[in-house]
Amino acid sequence: MTQDHTNHQPQGGSCCGNKHETQPVSLSPQEKSQDKKFTDPVCGMQVSKNPEKTARFQGNAYYFCSTSCVSKFNAAPENYVKAKKVIGLSSVGNVNSDGMQSDAEGEHKDPVCGMRVNAQSQHQLVHAGQSYYFCCNSCLEKFRKDPAAWLDPARRPAPKAVVKDAIFTCPMHLEIEQVGPGTCPLCGMALEPKEASAEEDTSELDDMRRRFKFSLALSLPLLIMTMGDMLPGVSFHNLLGMTVFNWLQFILATPVVLWAGLPFFERALASFKIMHLNMFSLIGVGTATAYVFSLVALLLPGTLPAAFKMNGMAPLYFEAAAVIITLVLLGQVLELRARSQTNAAIKALLGLTPATAIRIAADGSETEIALDEVQLNDSLRIKPGAHIPVDGAVLDGHSNVDEAMLTGEPLPVSKQAGDKVSAGTINQQGSFSMRAERIGNDTLLASIINLVNQAGRSRAPIQKLADQVSGWFVPAVIAAAVLAFIAWAVWGPAPGMANGLMAAVSVLIIACPCALGLATPISVTVGIGRGARDGVLIKDAEALERLEKIDTLLIDKTGTLTEGKPTLQHFSVASGESETDLLALAMALEQRSEHPVAHAIVSYAEAQHTKPVAISNFTSITGKGVSATVDSKVVLLGNPALLQEHAIHISGFEQQVTDLQTLGHTVMLMAVNQKAIALLSVADKIKNNSGEAISQLQQQGMHIIVLTGDNAITARAVAKQLGLDDVRADLLPADKFRIVQELQAQGRVVAMAGDGINDAPALAQADVGIAMGSGTDVAMHSAHVVLVKGDLRGIVKARSLSQQAMKNIRQNLFFAFAYNFIGVPVAAGLLYPWFGILLSPMIASAAMSLSSVSVITNALRLRTAKL
């Protein structure tokens, strides 16, 4: 037993003696803060989480009791855990080695996971005289345990956390699917859960962040040490001595390359195996060449031809390999953080559904049950202030329900017997009972969650130019290196082999993607920082790129164009009446009212320091208004229909009523003893800066469409005041989502600006989602840009920043590729026959460094960009 095992006792066998299959570790946020025990997959011991005794296999983390177990696992992980096979690529109509089967054109649908399969599937089951077909044995066994739960959608539970056998897919290549997390074999990206999840697996992000911090800590001093000679009066190699200087480079770079960069080499090797080259192929070839050559030069300098040496010393490129690995790790951390925003939105949406519901039994007794125990046609009690658990209809009682998550409108909606209610909406003061009509995955809230999840997966991150050209650039560079070696060895002057080897190595080193890796992330980083100074938060490079291409802008009305809350907009009184006295009277009436606009009137009166008068005989008239008695006088306050019902003439206010209703205001009249004496109107006020922002965007040729869940009259009134004529009203979240898809199908590049939960699916689906900083957390998680101040003029600034940043990135890419396209032929010896120029690896390294300096200097100019 090794020293690492001293404090552990084996459970169920000798330590490290038996092979065990364990499930990958998946931690919830709560569990991460606890000392949870895990099973060592090699020896079976129960151990605590220890980053120093951790290994990863196919995207999963495993923990061990000792370093010896880690070594055994790393040597052959498939001996201890079950490898997960990729379903994609050649899976159509075929059975993969893990037994999974799929057929995109299959005539049957797996009732468990929904995958299409054909009649030749080896996973079949006859239930109640009917045959069912499955993609894998796991789905078949789930169905066998409880067929009714999978055949009746109403019995399926609400969305739950990701389980260990969940299907994961690549956001860039949707045809790639596998059981559990991992990386895409085509592009090397981390896979994401295919279905909505309440729990986010951050293991990939945590691992990349840990590797980045480690590599940065070693690469930074390495870079300072090797670049110090460029500064006057600084010479680390003279200070330390050449031997110590070289070995110190090796010590600092080796952990970065061999441990921190290990995932990239694995992805590069995988890309060469299937001959689908990507950015990781380029990184793998470049860094491996730089490191291996440096290692040979350090350990066996005598084996290198004299042509490789300068002043008797062979050049080392340890810092180039380490810095490239560090930069790529930074890019991975930023990308994984950006992609986690959709998961944050889904978790916020799932939080709208209560964990329990109150069921009313046949005898009238009430019992609190778990949400997944709710059955169709159950009677449920909804208490004041509670979230409604499922979709259904009101049985008895009356209340106002806040449906802002569906419509975006701030005014609660009155509900009584027969009216429909939806899961996730919030009951106000009243209590009522309801009948469950749609539960679990069939609720409207579940459909919103699925739309957000679908949009998040379908919007693949834009491949960097390095990815797009790697398919031909990598083989071209390797071919150039091989041809250079052959040409020099066969036709070159003596020593031909030495010169050929030098030319080949020079080609591979000068093509190392240091500047190419810097070109995009450094401009994005500087650009995002510049936007943040002006209150424009841009979450990822994709949004920064697409902003300049936007030609259609969809804008939610409530909370985006308007303030998002109803306020008293107009208060006029009949001649001879006291405005102060009537406001006090209106305040007294509305303080007792449950009407949605009552709060706006009371808030206005409180702001005027008004004191309510004493009233009696208060009565609420459903759907019309209220009445009361003041000093033996009968007072009415409500909509025009209420006064007309009491035969009260409103001729003195008739024109005002018409004009204000045309503007979308909710109009109320006050009457005392059968005489109309005051008019009050409540509306959601247009933001002061909305008009200016709309005008600027229209001048840029932007087509603007107003989307709202509000009624058409109010929507058109607001749009008309802003000079907009394309209005879509009475929309549900799925309608907004569909409109975005339709416009994208027409070839338009669409931005969506909104602030509410009902905007989340459209924000996620749009090419660029823009959320107001004053809006809901769900909207901000779903969007790609957040306007901190809620000022629409931020969209104009964001577009300007995008145009300047993309111009800067194109300039950087030009610098990066110019050095490669010029340097590679020179390094291969193309100029030697005419000018006698043969580029040494050391000069190649200097050229590579110069390209990086050019890129960095150019990107820093964005800090002073004028928006």
Side-chain angles (χ1 to χ4, degrees):
M1 185 177 293
T2 66
Q3 185 175 357
D4 293 297
H5 289 84
T6 303
N7 297 322
H8 298 284
Q9 293 298 322
Q11 297 182 7
S14 61
C15 180
C16 307
N18 300 315
K19 298 177 182 179
H20 300 266
E21 284 196 5
T22 66
Q23 297 298 334
V25 177
S26 178
L27 295 178
S28 68
Q30 292 79 15
E31 290 172 332
K32 290 177 183 177
S33 62
Q34 301 174 359
D35 188 20
K36 185 179 178 181
K37 296 298 182 181
F38 304 96
T39 302
D40 183 325
V42 175
C43 68
M45 280 189 176
Q46 294 297 302
V47 298
S48 298
K49 181 177 179 180
N50 185 344
E52 296 180 358
K53 298 173 184 176
T54 302
R56 293 185 65 83
F57 178 58
Q58 292 191 330
N60 298 311
Y62 299 89
Y63 304 103
F64 303 84
C65 67
S66 66
T67 54
S68 64
C69 281
V70 176
S71 300
K72 290 181 180 180
F73 180 88
N74 286 331
E78 63 277 2
N79 291 343
Y80 302 100
V81 296
K82 184 177 180 181
K84 297 170 182 176
K85 304 298 183 180
V86 173
I87 301 171
L89 293 181
S90 60
S91 63
V92 177
N94 296 323
V95 179
N96 292 289
S97 57
D98 66 349
M100 295 202 70
Q101 200 171 46
S102 68
D103 184 350
E105 304 298 328
E107 64 272 25
H108 301 288
K109 182 179 180 180
D110 185 325
V112 175
C113 69
M115 187 178 291
R116 304 301 302 185
V117 294
N118 56 42
Q120 283 70 49
S121 172
Q122 63 179 348
H123 308 291
Q124 302 181 21
L125 178 69
V126 177
H127 172 71
Q130 183 175 345
S131 295
Y132 294 92
Y133 302 85
F134 306 86
C135 70
C136 63
N137 190 61
S138 174
C139 287
L140 186 151
E141 290 303 321
K142 286 181 181 179
F143 183 86
R144 192 196 305 274
K145 290 179 181 178
D146 190 3
W150 300 105
L151 296 177
D152 182 5
R155 294 190 56 184
R156 297 188 188 184
K160 296 183 181 297
V162 172
V163 292
K164 61 181 180 297
D165 57 350
I167 300 295
F168 280 64
T169 184
C170 174
M172 190 176 294
H173 302 95
L174 298 181
E175 70 274 15
I176 297 298
E177 295 179 348
Q178 80 170 38
V179 177
T183 57
C184 175
L186 298 183
C187 63
M189 290 180 61
L191 302 180
E192 297 179 340
K194 189 173 182 180
E195 299 300 327
S197 164
E199 184 176 325
E200 181 181 3
D201 179 11
T202 62
S203 58
E204 181 81 8
L205 175 59
D206 294 340
D207 182 57
M208 288 297 175
R209 187 185 284 119
R210 183 169 59 251
R211 291 175 187 271
F212 169 68
K213 291 179 179 178
F214 175 82
S215 62
L216 182 65
L218 296 182
S219 297
L220 195 57
L222 176 60
L223 185 64
I224 294 173
M225 185 176 71
T226 54
M227 294 299 173
D229 288 353
M230 296 184 179
L231 301 175
V234 178
S235 178
F236 287 104
H237 74 269
N238 287 333
L239 180 65
L240 300 172
M242 208 61 186
T243 301
V244 174
F245 181 72
N246 289 345
W247 277 98
L248 190 55
Q249 290 184 62
F250 166 76
I251 292 171
L252 290 173
T254 297
V256 175
V257 175
L258 299 187
W259 180 76
L262 181 61
F264 306 143
F265 291 114
E266 290 175 345
R267 297 178 190 185
L269 183 61
S271 72
F272 280 105
K273 284 182 178 178
I274 64 173
M275 289 312 296
H276 195 289
L277 305 184
N278 52 47
M279 183 181 71
F280 296 105
S281 313
L282 185 61
I283 293 166
V285 170
T287 54
T289 300
Y291 180 80
V292 171
F293 177 82
S294 301
L295 191 62
V296 172
L298 177 66
L299 300 178
L300 304 168
T303 62
L304 295 177
F308 277 90
K309 300 177 182 179
M310 182 174 291
N311 297 325
M313 298 294 296
L316 303 180
Y317 306 105
F318 287 122
E319 88 285 350
V323 168
I324 291 170
I325 294 295
T326 304
L327 288 173
V328 178
L329 283 168
L330 173 60
Q332 289 295 295
V333 170
L334 294 175
E335 180 181 295
L336 290 168
R337 282 176 55 189
R339 286 166 56 191
S340 71
Q341 294 301 319
T342 298
N343 290 331
I346 289 172
K347 286 192 288 185
L349 283 168
L350 288 169
L352 297 175
T353 305
T356 61
I358 299 175
R359 176 189 285 160
I360 305 174
D363 60 2
S365 62
E366 298 182 358
T367 307
E368 186 172 15
I369 61 174
L371 181 62
D372 57 9
E373 294 179 25
V374 175
Q375 301 292 319
L376 282 178
N377 298 316
D378 276 354
S379 294
L380 306 175
R381 171 68 61 194
I382 310 300
K383 295 184 176 181
H387 283 266
I388 294 173
V390 297
D391 292 359
V394 177
L395 292 174
D396 63 68
H398 171 267
S399 185
N400 293 307
V401 175
D402 181 354
E403 295 187 334
M405 61 153 287
L406 299 179
T407 65
E409 299 311 305
L411 294 178
V413 179
S414 177
K415 299 290 183 180
Q416 48 194 334
D419 290 339
K420 299 292 185 181
V421 290
S422 300
T425 57
I426 306 172
N427 184 30
Q428 300 289 287
Q429 296 91 350
S431 174
F432 62 89
S433 64
M434 63 171 288
R435 179 177 61 253
E437 296 181 342
R438 288 188 296 181
I439 64 177
N441 289 327
D442 294 328
T443 66
L444 187 55
L445 177 59
S447 70
I448 295 175
I449 293 171
N450 288 332
L451 288 175
V452 173
N453 189 49
Q454 174 188 335
R457 284 190 292 106
S458 64
R459 297 181 65 261
I462 292 183
Q463 290 203 20
K464 297 181 178 70
L465 189 54
D467 249 353
Q468 296 172 335
V469 302
S470 289
W472 57 265
F473 185 71
V474 174
V477 168
I478 295 175
V482 172
L483 290 174
F485 175 78
I486 294 174
W488 278 96
V490 176
W491 297 291
M497 294 289 287
N499 288 335
L501 183 59
M502 184 176 70
V505 172
S506 295
V507 167
L508 292 174
I509 289 176
I510 204 169
C512 205
C514 193
L516 197 59
L518 273 173
T520 298
I522 191 167
S523 292
V524 169
T525 302
V526 177
I528 289 175
R530 176 65 187 89
R533 280 164 41 198
D534 274 30
V536 179
L537 301 184
I538 300 175
K539 296 182 180 179
D540 52 50
E542 179 190 10
L544 188 63
E545 176 173 350
R546 292 199 177 194
L547 272 166
E548 71 165 351
K549 302 173 183 176
I550 297 300
D551 55 34
T552 303
L553 175 63
L554 309 180
I555 301 186
D556 171 59
K557 177 182 73 69
T558 307
T560 306
L561 291 172
T562 65
E563 297 287 354
K565 57 183 179 180
T567 56
L568 186 67
Q569 296 294 309
H570 191 79
F571 181 38
S572 60
V573 301
S575 177
E577 300 291 340
S578 168
E579 182 175 315
T580 302
D581 293 343
L582 293 182
L583 182 59
L585 181 55
M587 182 182 186
L589 290 165
E590 296 294 25
Q591 277 184 329
R592 301 191 184 186
S593 173
E594 294 182 359
H595 194 278
V597 301
H599 181 70
I601 296 173
V602 173
S603 296
Y604 176 80
E606 290 174 344
Q608 303 300 314
H609 305 291
T610 302
K611 300 298 182 183
V613 299
I615 62 174
S616 60
N617 300 324
F618 175 84
T619 303
S620 177
I621 306 167
T622 304
K624 294 180 180 179
V626 296
S627 68
T629 302
V630 179
D631 296 332
S632 301
K633 298 176 182 178
V634 178
V635 182
L636 295 174
L637 177 59
N639 57 30
L642 177 64
L643 272 65
Q644 291 170 1
E645 187 178 286
H646 286 76
I648 300 174
H649 295 290
I650 61 171
S651 55
F653 297 101
E654 196 165 13
Q655 187 59 49
Q656 283 182 280
V657 170
T658 302
D659 293 343
L660 291 170
Q661 286 181 335
T662 302
L663 293 175
H665 290 215
T666 298
V667 179
M668 288 164 288
L669 295 167
M670 181 187 292
V672 177
N673 284 348
Q674 294 296 106
K675 180 184 177 182
I677 59 173
L679 179 148
L680 304 89
S681 76
V682 172
D684 189 6
K685 182 183 177 183
I686 296 175
K687 290 181 179 179
N688 295 329
N689 51 46
S690 291
E692 180 184 349
I694 294 298
S695 177
Q696 292 176 349
L697 291 167
Q698 287 176 326
Q699 290 173 9
Q700 295 179 5
M702 189 82 68
H703 178 57
I704 301 176
I705 304 173
V706 178
L707 303 184
T708 180
D710 205 353
N711 64 80
I713 295 176
T714 302
R716 291 196 185 96
V718 171
K720 183 177 180 181
Q721 295 177 66
L722 294 171
L724 299 172
D725 53 14
D726 196 344
V727 181
R728 320 283 176 88
D730 297 307
L731 301 177
L732 291 175
D735 297 324
K736 295 183 178 182
F737 179 84
R738 174 182 49 78
I739 290 171
V740 173
Q741 287 185 316
E742 290 175 353
L743 291 168
Q744 289 173 329
Q746 296 170 14
R748 293 181 177 272
V749 184
V750 182
M752 169 70 191
D755 76 316
I757 295 172
N758 65 315
D759 300 317
L763 288 169
Q765 176 63 30
D767 295 288
V768 178
I770 304 170
M772 302 297 107
S774 55
T776 63
D777 289 342
V778 175
M780 286 187 279
H781 288 317
S782 301
H784 318 102
V785 178
V786 177
L787 305 182
V788 177
K789 303 173 183 176
D791 187 343
L792 281 176
R793 291 175 297 183
I795 299 178
V796 180
K797 294 181 178 180
R799 290 198 78 214
S800 174
L801 177 61
S802 172
Q803 292 165 352
Q804 296 183 64
M806 292 313 301
K807 180 180 179 181
N808 191 273
I809 289 174
R810 294 183 189 105
Q811 291 168 345
N812 288 347
L813 291 173
F814 169 78
F815 288 132
F817 280 111
Y819 281 102
N820 275 321
F821 282 113
I822 296 173
V824 168
V826 173
L830 188 65
L831 300 181
Y832 185 83
W834 296 278
F835 304 101
I837 298 175
L838 180 59
L839 205 62
S840 74
M842 184 168 288
I843 301 301
S845 178
M848 182 179 65
S849 300
L850 183 60
S851 66
S852 299
V853 172
S854 302
V855 165
I856 294 171
T857 304
N858 186 57
L860 291 177
R861 295 190 304 111
L862 278 176
R863 293 183 300 176
T864 58
K866 184 177 180 180
L867 304 183

